[in-house]
Amino acid sequence: MTATTIAGRGQTVTFPDGFIWGSATAAYQVEGAAAEDGRGPSIWDTFSRRPGAIANGHNGDTACDHYHRYAADIGVMRELDLDVYRFSVAWPRVQPDGAGAINAAGLDFYEKLVDDLLEAGIAPYVTLYHWDLPQALEEFGGWTNRDTAYRFADYTKAVYDRLGDRVSTWMTINEPWVAAFLGYGIGVHAPGRTSSAEAFRAAHHLMLAHGLSVRALRGSGADEIALTLNLVPVVTPGQVNDPALVLSAADAEAVDRVDCLINRQFLDPALRGEYPEQVLKIVDRVAGLDHIRGGDLAIINQPIDLLGINYYTPCVVRSGPGEPANPAYPGTEDIEFAGAYAPTTATGWPIVPTGLSQLLVRLSRDYPEVGLLVTENGAAFDDVVSGERVHDADRTAYLEGHLRAAHAAIEAGADLRGYLVWSLLDNFEWAEGYNKRFGIVHVDFATQRRLLKDSALWFREVIQRNGLWKERARRPTLEEVAARAGVSRSTVSRVINGQATVSDKHRAIVMDAVNELGYVPNSAARSLVTQRTDTIGLVVLEAARGRGDDPMFSAAVRSAVHALEDEGKQVTLMLAGSTRSRLRVEQYVAAGHVDGVVVVSARGADPLLGTLVRTGIPIVSLGRPSVPIALPYVDSDDVGGAISAVTHLLGGGRRRIAMICGPLDSVAAQDRLAGYRDTLRDHGRRSIIAIGDLTRGSGGAAMRQLLQDDPDLDAVFAANDLMAIGALSVLHEAGRTVPGDVAVVGFDDIEAAAYTIPPLTTVRGHIEDRARTAVRLLLTQTEGGPVSSTILPTELVVREST
């Protein structure tokens, strides 16, 4: 398929003849009927019952009830003119124990589903594994057990024997990176294990299962076989908007290493029969290589016809000396995972359609032997049902942008055969439960009613014309709403921003027009009410609010206020503690009463942060957020500061160095702990750790425990100065001299550090500089300029305590 086949025809951007259009789901996400007709439990049935594992305690017991409603759902697919429906077979429905006896009733369901699809003129694309491993196999080690790969091949054969005469396209494993590293590495997916070594072993065995499955399918006569991977372009923040940007050697190395781990760890074994050398070095260091046996790569490297590509957002990284490894990407020390300067979805994922073009062109260039199929692409947004409509203009814009990117890739030579939107239905979204809606068809989970969203109606038109209009789809404007309602533009703006100055009568008229046209408010509407306010919001999140007695927290707030006032800005301080105050903050920011927001972050993952990001208002975080989110932040080099502190103690002849660590839900505490541990490990020393809560009292209590557990320790590094001061007091009480018996180092350089007895050696984090940098980044954003996160250096201040 070449660019010569897709010349523009009439008023459309046309895709090649025979281009495949479809949608996709996964068994556990839609089927329900978790205990019916002999189905056994999967790892997701078990994991979803673990307290706190799934948002709101949700599970897939019922999901979309597709098991009972598949016929009606096929009617929806037919209404949308889909060519293809990609679904997964639930292994525990076919083989409840993962081995041995086949459950005929389970295969009966899939046979009826396939037959009805074919009768409707829709091709069934079968995915054999979409993460629902039989729990019985997990009891024997799951994907860390090599035998699971062979059991998967047996299961493959059983499914093909029943459906192979009617199914032409088979997909083996879906997203082995996710199954291995989210499931076995960081534990946010089933089965919930947290071992980097097990993640690498699971990844290899998943790829081995793929190869064995392909052999089983080929031996049985399968027509078309695919492997489905979550693939991403790995770029720096600057490359998001400038792909041709020339990188520094350090950034280029960071990009290449992450690309090896997330992309080539799976592409190269499957398509070239080898692991990248850099991957093997990391695997050897983390897990050893005993699980990779002779002949494995030959098994994995079976010829396939299609490469399935699941694309949502790029992976944005850059060199970050001192950064600890990202737990989801073992081996990424000294790499910072940054956010993209781009709009985001409801999941906080940056929207970068050009990433799909880059990815498709690169794949066809590097792996020309295999055809490409976009097997998943879509987005979650906060949908609202208005009467009989769901006006999801943001999703339509997302899909259109990515389809235009796919078309551009075809014109550039990519061998792209088709596009499957994710997802057909709103469904059980794994760890997010039912909170995130990816479907082009709305599902009311209480009634199981299906309702086609505007994006579904738009997608049907795309399929029918096999292309897009040359001009992008345009969302209704504020002016059109005003004209339909017969009111002024400012009245519309006041209504959608919740202003109380509009009468109930006119409010109802405006909302009728909004619903009829499918208008989605944006920042332009807000600006009519507020124009430029010259006001900046300073939002203190709930976890930070209780730190008013922490001098560093107080200094952060004070410095941010002074920096804003120096720039001639008014400051609105907003405390987000109670549910009511959090809602008030969200509404105040969304209504456009401030030009931007500086968020004072503390420990813990606060969902208000993501909510504020989705308002579209410029935001900068003073402190690195504890969850990955597309948000610029300013912080100190906590890892580097800890390294300098511990190196100083080692240089002074100290050999038994303990650390009083802060709460481990604090990003700063995690980084300071990582610096401490890494430095001792590099010098062949063991870690000695006690936990405090950043207060003087907790530092004293931790010091008492350390003296009791290890009377011979000769140095203490505390994660903040208050805990270090508490440790000094206890050492004095215990008759230990400082620094003669025990040397002490703190962190932050609060004012009191210079006046302790003896004066405290500490790491200075320059809070005033951080605050001023955050303000500068925010003001750059408010003027429309691009910004990126900033890590400021720390400085060791040596005093008499060492």
Side-chain angles (χ1 to χ4, degrees), residues 662-676:
L664 293 181
D665 58 352
S666 161
V667 173
Q670 293 171 14
D671 287 350
R672 294 172 191 185
L673 176 60
Y676 162 81

Side-chain angles (χ1 to χ4, degrees), residues 192-256:
R193 297 203 220 171
T194 54
S195 165
S196 296
E198 289 187 346
F200 278 121
R201 285 193 286 272
H204 178 71
H205 293 150
L206 281 156
M207 293 305 295
L208 182 64
H210 156 73
L212 292 167
S213 178
V214 174
R215 287 205 313 197
L217 291 167
R218 288 281 183 225
S220 299
D223 293 334
E224 190 170 60
I225 303 173
L227 169 66
T228 304
L229 302 176
N230 57 301
L231 298 171
V232 296
V234 183
V235 295
T236 64
Q239 287 181 311
V240 172
N241 296 311
D242 182 8
L245 182 70
V246 177
L247 301 182
S248 68
D251 279 346
E253 191 281 328
V255 166
D256 182 69

Side-chain angles (χ1 to χ4, degrees), residues 547-570:
R547 293 181 58 196
D549 59 344
D550 181 345
M552 289 306 294
F553 169 73
S554 302
V557 174
R558 184 174 62 252
S559 298
V561 170
H562 289 168
L564 288 165
E565 289 176 343
D566 288 347
E567 295 291 337
K569 302 297 181 184
Q570 300 180 62

Side-chain angles (χ1 to χ4, degrees), residues 487-496 502 506-507 510 528:
V487 299
S488 68
R489 295 170 74 243
S490 62
T491 298
V492 174
S493 187
R494 287 183 171 83
V495 169
I496 65 176
V502 182
H506 284 97
R507 187 180 305 279
V510 168
L528 260 182

Side-chain angles (χ1 to χ4, degrees), residues 536-540 557 560-561 564 571-575 597-600:
I536 299 298
L538 184 62
V539 175
V540 180
V557 174
V561 170
L564 288 165
V571 181
T572 299
L573 180 63
M574 293 176 277
L575 304 179
V597 172
V598 174
V599 176
V600 181

Side-chain angles (χ1 to χ4, degrees), residues 127 226 329 399 422 425 450 588 611 655 657-658 760:
T127 298
Y329 302 84
L399 298 176
W422 183 271
L425 305 169
R450 273 62 162 160
Y588 191 85
T611 302
R655 293 295 176 263
I657 304 171
L760 182 65

